Amino acid sequence: MDNAHNLDRERFGEMFALMHRIRAFEEAAIAAQKEGLVLGAIHPSIGQEAVAAGVCCNLQSADLLLSTHRGHGHTLAKGADPLAMMRELFGRAGGTCGGKGGSMHIADFGVGMLGANGVVGANIPIATGAAHGLKLQGSEQIVACIFGDGAINRGPFLEGLNWARVFDLPVLFVCEDNGFSATTRTRDMTAGAGAAARAESLGIPAVEVDGNDVLAVDAAARTAIADIRAGKGPVLLHCRTYRITGHTAVDPALYRPAEEVEAQRGNCPIARLGAALTMAGMEPDVLARTGQQAVDEMTEIAAKARDTDWPDPMAAFSDVQDMGDPRERAF
């Protein structure tokens, strides 16, 4: 953050607040899970907030987004209502998916969030298909697709990026690389130089960036998105970051040395932006209040979600696809 003295304090002050809100949302969700209020898995993105903020703050409201099983931050950054999100985690009425999707399958079409996905890499061809549809319609919208480093070793990565390049589709691929595929170091199971090199081998421009530096992510995303809107086709951002928690909220992550995690706590993207904003002239007290306001907001939201009614039992019969009598010919 060498350019901190010339920082746009209003813009990055908003990103600072957003990253605090993302972290506070997940901390409130984790606390609720410990109380037995969340029955599904929670995959926190604590430590990775700069990717969500730096990418999504450059998207327009009409743009589309696809995420991973670790998608709370991306969904919040795209503009989803945190109360509806928390209700979804709690399985309550008024959740973004009616309480049926839970943490790993949050979607909110109203803000262009087409969904998190519990299948690693499965969001990549969906994003490519959505981008192809937008191009056929002559739309000015673009698609952003965020996936983890483990996804680059799966078939959908090659298929999706190849299709996007062949047809020059308006899609931003973002590899949110936290160094681990669940409980295994990705470098131990990934041949070659990684995501950027693989994208470039398909003719897709790729940029590697410090994913814990929101200024760097913002600048790279802004340039990439401008090129995509100009009709230059897909771009890949490779953002190197680190998750402070385990793979899930209940994973103690004993496969990582304690000193490694502690060192990464010192690389916290929120703290780094806070230091940059301080250098730019913002008062530390203002920054501290921003963090506390986020905690207060999400604590209140969790309480409201807890007090929300369960869905009507008849809702179980909605959103069910009927393919007809299987004994009949389909054509």
Side-chain angles (χ1 to χ4, degrees):
M1 295 189 178
D2 296 335
N3 57 343
H5 290 290
N6 300 319
L7 208 62
D8 182 338
R9 291 194 298 178
E10 181 177 357
R11 175 178 176 77
F12 288 101
E14 291 175 356
M15 287 195 193
F16 184 73
L18 172 60
M19 290 197 290
H20 265 297
R21 294 178 73 239
I22 292 170
R23 184 167 297 189
F25 178 91
E26 293 200 317
E27 289 175 341
I30 292 169
Q33 186 180 54
K34 291 178 179 178
E35 293 183 52
L37 297 171
V38 179
L39 299 182
I42 291 178
H43 297 77
S45 62
I46 294 172
Q48 303 180 190
E49 296 89 353
V51 179
V55 170
C56 293
C57 285
N58 284 284
L59 297 174
Q60 296 177 3
S61 59
D63 291 333
L64 305 180
L65 173 69
L66 287 108
S67 181
T68 71
H69 52 278
R70 203 177 306 280
H72 306 138
H74 311 144
T75 307
L76 270 172
K78 192 61 174 69
D81 177 8
L83 177 55
M85 289 177 60
M86 194 69 77
R87 284 171 170 163
E88 185 63 29
L89 267 61
F90 285 23
R92 303 303 174 96
T96 55
C97 299
K100 297 180 178 181
S103 172
M104 285 195 288
H105 303 103
I106 283 180
D108 187 344
F109 288 11
V111 297
M113 170 49 172
L114 300 189
N117 202 307
V119 179
V120 174
N123 57 332
I124 298 175
I126 297 173
T128 303
H132 204 151
L134 294 177
K135 183 166 185 176
L136 290 173
Q137 293 171 356
S139 173
E140 295 182 356
Q141 296 163 266
I142 73 164
V143 180
C145 178
I146 305 177
F147 49 88
D149 40 298
I152 72 171
N153 291 327
R154 296 181 62 86
F157 177 81
L158 171 61
E159 296 171 15
L161 268 67
N162 181 69
W163 192 270
R165 177 74 281 176
V166 167
F167 292 98
D168 286 335
L169 301 180
V171 55
L172 174 67
F173 296 108
V174 181
C175 180
E176 188 176 47
D177 183 354
N178 61 28
F180 285 86
S181 299
T183 60
T184 304
R185 287 193 190 275
T186 307
R187 67 172 182 243
D188 294 336
M189 51 189 284
T190 303
R198 293 182 183 185
E200 289 172 345
S201 75
L202 295 169
I204 294 177
V207 179
E208 297 201 54
V209 65
D210 180 353
N212 279 25
D213 180 353
V214 73
L215 277 66
V217 177
D218 172 67
R222 188 184 320 123
T223 299
I225 288 171
D227 286 344
I228 294 168
R229 291 199 196 281
K232 296 182 181 180
V235 179
L236 181 137
L237 296 185
H238 185 181
C239 303
R240 296 188 183 276
T241 182
Y242 194 89
R243 58 170 163 81
I244 298 301
T245 69
H247 176 57
T248 66
V250 297
D251 170 19
L254 300 179
Y255 44 86
R256 303 186 303 189
E259 57 270 21
E260 173 184 306
V261 179
E262 192 58 34
Q264 288 295 333
R265 289 184 187 278
N267 193 31
C268 170
I270 298 177
R272 287 177 63 177
L273 180 55
L277 289 168
T278 300
M279 289 179 62
M282 290 190 70
E283 294 294 330
D285 288 349
V286 173
L287 299 176
R289 283 198 300 272
T290 298
Q292 187 58 51
Q293 287 167 358
V295 171
D296 293 345
E297 176 194 8
M298 298 307 169
T299 300
E300 181 180 357
I301 279 172
K304 287 182 177 179
R306 181 174 190 160
D307 292 339
T308 301
D309 293 336
W310 296 101
D312 187 317
M314 292 303 294
F317 296 96
S318 64
D319 306 313
V320 178
Q321 186 175 20
D322 182 3
M323 297 298 291
D325 191 332
R327 294 170 295 180
E328 296 180 3
R329 292 175 61 89
F331 51 88

